[in-house]
Amino acid sequence: PPRRRSRRLATAAATAAPSPETPPPARLLDLPRELLERALSRCDSPVDIARVAAVSLLFHASLALEGIRLWARERGFELPAQPEG
């Protein structure tokens, strides 16, 4: 029968440093703000967007608000203008 790798070896392989030629993994924070807003607008409802903002610091209030505004515009709703300030 084939030998199984020990957990210690599997863990060591998973935590090994990447080679210098390997670029760092992409992060959500590296994406443009407009793309994040567009991703949020794909949620089914503004409630879902608010839930995403509640569980992730990445999707803070202003990003969630713009995602909701985009969600509404894409579906033909007209929201009141935001107050200046």
Side-chain angles (χ1 to χ4, degrees):
R3 287 185 71 170
R4 292 176 42 179
R5 284 176 42 169
S6 73
R7 278 200 171 136
R8 190 179 326 160
L9 287 176
T11 302
T15 59
S19 71
E21 303 89 43
T22 305
R27 301 175 310 155
L28 281 176
L29 287 173
D30 296 333
L31 297 174
R33 181 182 175 91
E34 295 80 18
L35 186 57
L36 294 173
E37 291 168 1
R38 173 88 40 208
L40 281 177
S41 77
R42 298 297 179 213
C43 289
D44 290 332
S45 74
V47 172
D48 290 334
I49 295 172
R51 287 179 181 140
V52 169
V55 298
S56 175
L57 293 176
L58 173 65
F59 296 108
H60 46 78
S62 63
L63 189 62
L65 178 62
E66 288 307 311
I68 290 171
R69 288 188 166 282
L70 182 57
W71 179 92
R73 278 195 310 269
E74 289 173 345
R75 288 157 181 82
F77 294 102
E78 192 170 325
L79 299 178
Q82 289 183 290
E84 293 292 322

